[in-house]
Amino acid sequence: MATSPDRTTGEPRDLTAHLMDQAMGHLFSAALRTAAQHRIADHLAEGPRTAEQLAAATGTHAPHLRRVLRYLATRGIFREDTAGAFQLTPAAALLRTGVPDSLHHAIMMMTDDLFRRTSADLPEAVREGGTSFERLYGAPLFTHLQSDPDARRLFDDGMSSLSAPVDEAVAAVYPFPATGATVVDVGGGRGGLLRAVLHRHPQLTGVLFDQAPPLAHHLLDGDELKDRWRVQEGDFFASVPEGGDIYVLKQVLHDWPDEACRRILRSCRQAMAAGSRLLVIDSVLPPGNAPHFGKTLDVAMMAVVDGKERTAEEFATLLSAEGFRLTRVLPTSAFPSIVDAVAE
C-alpha cells in the first residue's frame, strides 16, 4: 500500500499520497455522515448485504453507495467481503440507532454544517484569534443554541450520544464512597453521567444542575432511581447547589477559556465544604507528538467555543487559583481522564 510506513524510518513510503489523503479528510467526514444519514449500519444488523441490496433498502444510488462504503472500509468502518457484500465492523456497529453506546447522533452532530463551516474557517481563527463559530454565526455557540431550537436539539442529542461510553467509564473507575453521599453534576446536561453513577452505586443520591432545555429531557426517570435524585435549574457562573459531597464537571471546563473556568470553579468552591471532592472529567493532554484524541478536541474547542484541552499541570494551576488541590489524575477506558481535586 502506497501510504504504509517504511519499517526503518516509520514515515509513509509515498509522502505525496499520504499528505493528499490527510488534505482530503473532509471527504471521510462526509462519507461517514452519508452512512449515518442513510442508516446503513441498521440495515446490516442482521448480516452482510451488497450495495445493491442496501441501495434498494435505503432509496440510494447503488454504484455511488458502493464507492462510499468501499472508502469507509479502508479505515475500518464496514468491511467488504470477497463476494462483494458489506458487513459491520465494531466501529460501524456504533453507527446503529437505538442500541447501547450508539454514536449515531454524535456523528450527525459533528458532521453537521454547524461544525463543518466552523472547521473550514480555521485559517481565519488562527490569523485573527477568537472563535470561528462566533465570526460565522454572529454569536457564541451557547447563545446561538438558545435561539435555534433545531440546533439545540441536534447538540443535546449529539452530546448525549457522545457521553454515554464516557459516563459508564467514569462510573466504573472512580471509587465513590461506600456510604451515603450526594453527587452534584454541574452542567450535567440530560444526566447521563449521574444516571450511570447512581445505577452503579445505589448508596448515592444526586443533583442534576443545568439550564432548562437539557433538563426538560433528563434521563433520570425510572423505578431503580426513585427518590434518589432531583434536578435544579441555574447558571453555574452565578452559583451551584450547596450541600454536595462530590461535585462533577464533565466536559464543562474544556468549553471555556481560563478566566471563565475560574468563575465556574469559584461558584463550585463557594458551595462546597472543605474536604469535599471535585471531579473534572476532560481530556488530559500528554506531552510529545503521539496522537491523542484530546489534541483533536483542543483544536475543535479553539474554533467553536474559545475553549481548550489542558495538561495536568494546567489543571493544577487552574484549580489551585480557586481553592482546590489536585490529588491525582485517573485514566478511564474512554478518552477523558478524571482530574480528582479536594476543596481546601
Side-chain angles (χ1 to χ4, degrees):
M1 185 171 61
T3 57
S4 62
D6 184 277
R7 292 183 180 180
T8 302
T9 66
E11 295 291 333
R13 290 191 177 93
D14 185 341
L15 291 175
T16 299
H18 172 70
L19 194 58
M20 290 302 98
D21 193 40
Q22 304 306 309
M24 293 189 289
H26 58 280
L27 287 176
F28 180 76
S29 177
L32 193 59
R33 181 178 182 84
T34 299
Q37 185 169 315
H38 293 296
R39 309 288 178 94
I40 299 300
D42 288 347
H43 290 284
L44 292 176
E46 295 182 2
R49 304 180 77 175
T50 65
E52 289 73 22
Q53 292 170 323
L54 289 168
T58 59
T60 55
H61 183 267
H64 281 19
L65 179 61
R66 180 180 181 276
R67 290 161 71 178
V68 167
L69 295 181
R70 179 176 62 187
Y71 174 41
L72 290 172
T74 66
R75 304 197 189 184
I77 315 294
F78 306 109
R79 181 180 294 114
E80 185 178 13
D81 63 25
T82 55
F86 289 91
Q87 56 190 268
L88 291 177
T89 59
L94 297 177
L95 295 177
R96 294 176 60 192
T97 60
V99 297
D101 294 338
S102 170
L103 290 177
H104 181 270
H105 286 305
I107 296 299
M108 294 302 293
M109 174 187 71
M110 295 307 300
T111 60
D112 185 79
D113 190 54
L114 201 67
F115 296 108
R116 288 201 306 261
R117 287 184 63 200
T118 304
S119 298
D121 189 65
L122 191 60
E124 287 302 305
V126 169
R127 185 173 69 86
E128 297 182 9
T131 69
S132 298
F133 190 96
E134 187 168 355
R135 182 166 37 253
L136 292 171
Y137 289 90
L141 172 66
F142 295 112
T143 302
H144 177 79
L145 294 179
Q146 292 174 359
S147 63
D148 187 334
D150 290 338
R152 178 87 231 192
R153 191 175 307 108
L154 174 78
F155 182 81
D156 288 343
D157 287 346
M159 290 306 299
S160 292
S161 170
L162 183 60
S163 291
V166 174
D167 297 338
E168 294 298 331
V170 171
V173 76
Y174 188 76
F176 288 94
T179 56
T182 298
V183 177
V184 181
D185 193 356
V186 177
R190 294 180 177 177
L193 174 60
L194 187 58
R195 180 182 62 178
V197 169
L198 295 182
H199 269 297
R200 186 175 283 269
H201 304 278
Q203 74 279 12
L204 302 178
T205 58
V207 180
L208 177 62
F209 179 76
D210 210 318
Q211 297 180 336
L215 293 182
H217 304 282
H218 72 75
L219 305 172
L220 298 174
D221 288 323
D223 291 340
E224 185 177 347
L225 302 184
K226 187 177 180 181
D227 299 325
R228 294 176 53 209
W229 58 269
R230 65 181 176 89
V231 299
Q232 182 172 330
E233 179 184 344
D235 177 0
F236 51 45
F237 286 114
S239 65
V240 305
E242 297 182 353
D245 302 290
I246 299 173
Y247 286 71
V248 180
L249 290 167
K250 191 194 82 172
Q251 293 176 285
V252 170
L253 296 188
H254 80 158
D255 286 336
W256 304 96
D258 287 352
E259 179 53 39
C261 287
R262 285 194 287 270
R263 292 171 56 199
I264 297 168
L265 292 170
R266 198 172 306 141
S267 292
C268 292
R269 183 62 189 88
Q270 290 170 352
M272 297 169 65
S276 51
R277 312 296 301 196
L278 175 69
L279 310 184
V280 177
I281 300 161
D282 267 328
S283 295
V284 177
L285 298 182
N289 300 314
H292 188 279
F293 184 55
K295 297 176 183 178
T296 304
L297 279 181
D298 182 52
V299 177
M301 294 301 102
M302 178 184 73
V304 177
V305 290
D306 199 23
K308 61 186 291 188
E309 307 299 327
R310 295 173 171 88
T311 65
E313 292 77 14
E314 288 172 325
F315 275 118
T317 299
L318 198 60
L319 289 161
S320 65
E322 298 302 332
F324 295 96
R325 177 171 51 86
L326 192 157
T327 60
R328 57 183 170 174
V329 175
L330 292 176
T332 72
S333 59
F335 62 88
S337 296
I338 303 172
V339 178
D340 191 1
V342 63
E344 294 190 311

